[in-house]
Amino acid sequence: MARTVFRNTAAWLIPLLGLLALGPLAARLLGRLRTDAGLPFATPLISASPVTGLTAAALVLAVALALGLLAARAVDLRGAFNAAGCVLLWGAWRTGPLEETLQSSDPTTAMIRLAIEGALIGLAVWIAAALFESHARPTVHHGVPEPKPKGSPVGFAAVVRATLTNPSGLASIAAAVAAGGAVAWFFAAEPLKNQGVFAALLAGIAAAAAGRIAGQAAGDDPPVSATFFAVGVLACIGPASSIILHGEALDTVARLGQLRGLAGVMPFDWVAGACFGIPIGRAWVQASSAAPSKRGGRPASKPTPRRVTR
């Protein structure tokens, strides 16, 4: 009983600690970043000092990792993602939005830097997700620990191998990139901050659901970190897609504020939304694939056909 109370209390307190205290403190340095023109709408690499920007981003990521590991050991895997997501939300809030960021930057150079930034932040969060997955306590339902799916990797190295070398992990990544990219493209209608995080959350749900189904079809249940790897891929190819789609017209499109789809979702938007969306998508698949419970301890009997008399 005491253990259950502790777990339930920690499931609320740790994310609130990140949302109300550690997250704002960690993101203060991000909020102080300025573009080359002195404007406040900067990102770690689109700033007057990229070294300071990367240091600020690393601080937010480190706090998210520490709080997530604490929640993984005290609560479970979903609690870890909730705690880390509450910190990363502050990183998303302190960067961008895209329209304001591009006002004082060359759009092509800025998009290349955003692609690199997305790859770096995505890589860091994927490593954090693998650490959470390898250290998290099992989820408890009604006092009973939930068993791990068949073929689940044990340990950080095993999770990484399952993500990058197993057919189920590779199939999960491919499906997650396709589904998450399509959903984000549809919902990121304008490059607004709140809309970017919301689009990333919905993309995380779709990516997790599609990735888990594809991974199970290819073999074992894929690790959760496979979907986070896919989110990192999307955070990288999102800005790059604008260069491919618009080419020389990118400068005009950016000045008019007409960048849409994946390009409008900033790197911290991707990882913050994914921390909340991916557990939901995986839970949906698990709930839909669960065997229906038997009532009364016996399977339902087939109805006996009625004989019609004339």
Side-chain angles (χ1 to χ4, degrees):
M1 180 66 181
R3 187 175 297 178
T4 302
V5 172
F6 170 78
R7 184 187 285 246
N8 292 338
T9 304
W12 283 96
L13 286 183
I14 297 176
L16 285 176
L17 179 64
L19 184 64
L20 302 179
L22 296 182
L25 289 175
R28 285 187 67 184
L29 188 56
L30 271 179
R32 294 176 181 174
L33 295 178
R34 294 295 183 267
T35 63
D36 292 331
L39 296 176
F41 306 105
T43 74
L45 288 183
I46 307 177
S47 63
S49 175
V51 174
T52 304
L54 289 176
T55 303
L59 178 61
V60 174
L61 293 169
V63 173
L65 171 63
L67 205 63
L69 283 174
L70 175 63
R73 297 304 303 160
V75 188
D76 56 16
L77 185 57
R78 183 164 186 169
F81 291 136
N82 287 339
C86 286
V87 176
L88 295 174
L89 277 176
W90 280 98
W93 182 253
R94 292 290 191 176
T95 55
L98 182 64
E99 279 188 349
E100 306 294 344
T101 301
L102 296 180
Q103 281 186 0
S104 59
S105 305
D106 174 64
T108 302
T109 303
M111 286 302 178
I112 293 174
R113 290 188 178 185
L114 272 181
I116 298 172
E117 183 180 314
L120 293 175
I121 293 175
L123 177 64
V125 173
W126 168 61
I127 293 173
L131 286 170
F132 298 162
E133 192 168 5
S134 58
H135 290 82
R137 296 176 61 181
T139 302
V140 176
H141 290 294
H142 304 292
V144 179
E146 181 181 292
K148 284 192 173 183
K150 182 181 178 182
S152 296
V154 178
F156 175 75
V159 171
V160 172
R161 286 195 301 269
T163 300
L164 300 179
T165 61
N166 274 14
S168 60
L170 296 175
S172 177
I173 292 172
V177 168
V183 170
W185 188 282
F186 181 79
F187 283 98
E190 296 181 11
L192 303 176
K193 174 55 60 182
N194 294 336
Q195 196 170 91
V197 175
F198 181 68
L201 186 149
L202 295 179
I205 295 174
R212 192 167 196 180
I213 292 172
Q216 290 174 347
D220 299 324
D221 192 60
V224 183
S225 57
T227 312
F228 278 93
F229 188 91
V231 169
V233 172
L234 289 171
C236 178
I237 66 176
S241 67
S242 63
I243 301 175
I244 298 172
L245 289 175
H246 300 293
E248 296 180 355
L250 177 61
D251 184 74
T252 303
V253 173
R255 301 300 179 193
L256 295 175
Q258 295 178 350
L259 283 173
R260 300 289 185 269
L262 300 181
V265 185
M266 305 291 277
F268 269 110
D269 295 353
W270 277 113
V271 294
C275 281
F276 296 104
I278 288 175
I280 297 174
R282 287 183 65 89
W284 282 0
V285 175
Q286 181 176 352
S288 63
S289 61
S293 59
K294 297 178 182 180
R295 296 183 179 179
R298 295 179 299 176
S301 58
K302 294 182 179 180
T304 304
R306 298 179 61 183
R307 181 177 297 178
V308 180
T309 59
R310 296 184 179 178

